[in-house]
Every structure is written in C-alpha cells, then in structure tokens.
Amino acid sequence: GDKEEGDELEDEEEKALPEFVQGELIPLFSASSQSSSSGVNVAPSSASYASLDVKERMTTPPGYLTESELIGKMEVHGIGTDASIATHIENIQKRNYVELASGRRLIPSKLGLVLASGYHLIDTSLVLPQVRADIEDQCNKIAKGLADKEAVLNRAIDTFAAKFENFVANITKMDVLFGSSFAKLQDVGKPFTRCGLTRRYLQYITGPPPRLYNKFTEQVYPLPAGGLIKQATGQKCPVEGCSFELCLYQVGQPTRTFPLCPYCFNNPKPEWGKPPGQDDEDAGMGLDEDDDNKERKMRRLAGKSLVLECPHPDNSPLVRERTVAPDPDSKGVFVLDPSPHKWRLVSTRDPTIIYFPKEVEKVTVLDRVDEVLNTHLMRIDWKEGSSPLPGGETKHICNFCTDEIIQQ
C-alpha cells in the first residue's frame, strides 16, 4: 500500500553507497525477482547486491534562509553586533529588498536581486561580507586598544571614497540592469535565443546599448554595437561547456554576416587572441582573465565598443570551424557566410566578399582539415546540368586555396 511504498522510499533515502572493490562481482536483482512476501531484495550468497529497478526522482532547490539562519551566517562572517543585527534585518525589509514569508523565511525581492547583481557587476566587494567584516574587526580592535582610531577611520574613508568613485564611473551598468528588469514587456521585446546555462529564452533589447537579458537570473549579455543582430536557426555554440544558441551579426555594406555567441562574446579566452572592438590601450594586463572580461563587459554596457568586423577572434572555435582560407591582406580569415542560401565567403577583418557562381546549389564546410594550411575542406554541390566537373558530377570536395576548378 501507500505506507509500504513510503517506508521503502524512506529506507532508500537513508541508504549509503557501499564500498566497492575493483573486480568485485555484484549479483543483480530486479523487481520481478522479489518475493511477494517481502518488499526487500535478498541476496542469499552475497552481502551486496544491485537492483535493476528504475525510479525517477527530482532534485529541489534549497529553501530560503530564515531570520535565525541569516543571523547565524552574519555571526559567522563577523557582520554586526548583538545590538545591530536585528536592525540590519529590519532595514532590508523596510527597503523592500526581501519579503518576510511564512516560517519567518526571507525571500529576496526583484529589487533586491537586481541591486545585488548590479553591485556584483561593478564591485563584488560591495556585496560580499568581507569588507563589512573587516570594518567590524577594526572597530573591535579600537575598543580593545589594539588599533588607532584615526588611522582606521582614514583608511576606511579612503577605501570607500575609491569605491564610490568607481561606482559612479560605472553607474551606466546599474542603469542597464534596472532598465532591463523593470521595463514594460513591449520595451523588453520577445524571446530571442536560448541561454546555454538555464535553457531559458533571452530577451533582445535593442538599446542602446544592444543586449540580451535573462529575466529569470537578471543576467545581461551586452552585444556588439555597429551592426544588426538577427535570429539564427537554433544552432548551438561549439565551445565546450557553452551551449548558448547562436545569433547572426550583420555588418557593413554590402552586408557580411557572422555567427555570434552571446556568452563567448562576453567571455573570450586569452588563447583566442585579442577580442574585436578592443583597442590596445583598453586591453587588460593579462594578470586576471575575470577582471579583463568584467572591464570589457562594462565598456560594452556603456556603449563604448564598436565592432565593424567579425565579433569573435579568428582563433575561437566558433570561427575556426568555419574557416576555409586565410586572408593575407587583412591578416584575418575567410569563413562561409552563415546566412541561409547565400553561398559566399566573407573576410573576418576586411569588407571582402567572394561569391560562388550562381550554378552552385549548396556549399558545406566539412570537419576535415588541411594539415598544412589549417583550413577546412568544402563540399560544393552544383545544380543539375550546370556542373563544370568531369562527367557532369554535381558534388565536389576541395580545398578552396588550392583547387584549380574553384580558382578558375
């Protein structure tokens, strides 16, 4: 009955995994082998067994903190005193950063989440407890005669003055978050492309600056400025661990189209090369990749990055998988235009376009790579009756750089 099933589930949740030994043989049992008089599998000749029964379970997120749990965490991190902790919790409720729910649980409000995200984006230390804990520790040292009051006060003023100046200089980033979170639906736009982290649809906000917005996580992904952002066909980014759906980025006249991954655009890896749209003087010192990406993202949110070329470095996997030839004039590469039914090659760094003849029905970039030139081979499908190939063949696999038929 239900009671037996509940007892079985409770027993299952309390079981710990046994210690296995390499080469050990474990008897297998299924539900059909169970005795009708017992709800437990029995292995007569072995202390360990494995069940073939399949049961579906769902994980659940952790619950929200209660007031007492929050007080405990504040004490662990050295925030507040016995007299001030209650006031801190009361203040975040009065300012609508959290709501007090049943069970004395504190649920973050949309305002609180957006505010915390903005602080994280500009200066993480404004959200994390370390700075506040340090101030509390210094005050305790003053009370015990272990630190000089004026020295502590001056150091605190200098620290927060610097943080204030940095915050003011980057306030546009907070404006973007609030504009994205509290704009009307018609201002936010329709679902545009899927996030690779949450599989939720991202909203496209034309700006300026243009960006994608995840209303479920309050995450903003700035997009390149200077071109047009178009929806693609749902293809995912090939970078390991990314899985964001690609967009199309159109720039120039005549238009060149490139694939665009929102995540990789904002989080390029150093081994890919210098990100497009970044001047040499804007480049980081190479000491901290996260700091470089954060600085780059702030500039894009402020609309200070103009990208009039391929938005990804030539060595990124997204560009490499489409590269069919080098472009020595611009030190870029030629890639297949991802626009549907437009069979042409475009340079990543120059407004150069190579058109295929109108007799070509389809062009496909293959996984096979020329080991000498480090470029991908192509398969060209010719229209029936229009092929220049011997015997009227319609399919031709070639290296664009060296193939005589293509060069002619």
Side-chain angles (χ1 to χ4, degrees), residues 33 51 66 117 129 151 187 193-194 207 245 272 322 342 395:
S33 67
S51 173
T66 63
S117 297
D187 297 330
T193 186
R194 282 187 186 273
E245 283 187 357
W272 296 349
R322 290 168 168 78
K342 288 188 177 181
K395 298 185 185 299

Side-chain angles (χ1 to χ4, degrees), residues 220-223 261-268 293 296-297 300:
V220 177
Y221 298 94
L223 297 175
C261 172
Y263 185 81
C264 292
F265 178 70
N266 288 285
N267 299 278
N293 287 337
R296 187 179 301 109
K297 190 173 182 180
R300 287 168 178 167

Side-chain angles (χ1 to χ4, degrees), residues 21-42:
V21 178
Q22 186 173 359
E24 180 183 2
L25 297 178
I26 306 295
L28 296 179
F29 288 82
S30 63
S32 60
S33 67
Q34 293 184 13
S35 169
S36 60
S37 62
S38 173
V40 180
N41 289 325
V42 178

Side-chain angles (χ1 to χ4, degrees), residues 66-88:
T66 63
E67 283 183 304
S68 60
E69 290 170 339
L70 178 58
I71 291 173
K73 288 188 174 294
M74 293 175 70
E75 291 175 344
V76 168
H77 291 286
I79 299 176
T81 62
D82 293 340
S84 64
I85 285 179
T87 303
H88 293 324

Side-chain angles (χ1 to χ4, degrees), residues 362-366 377-381 395-398:
K362 185 179 180 181
V363 179
T364 306
V365 179
L366 305 178
L377 302 184
M378 298 186 304
R379 189 187 73 198
I380 301 177
D381 295 337
K395 298 185 185 299
H396 181 55
I397 295 179
C398 64

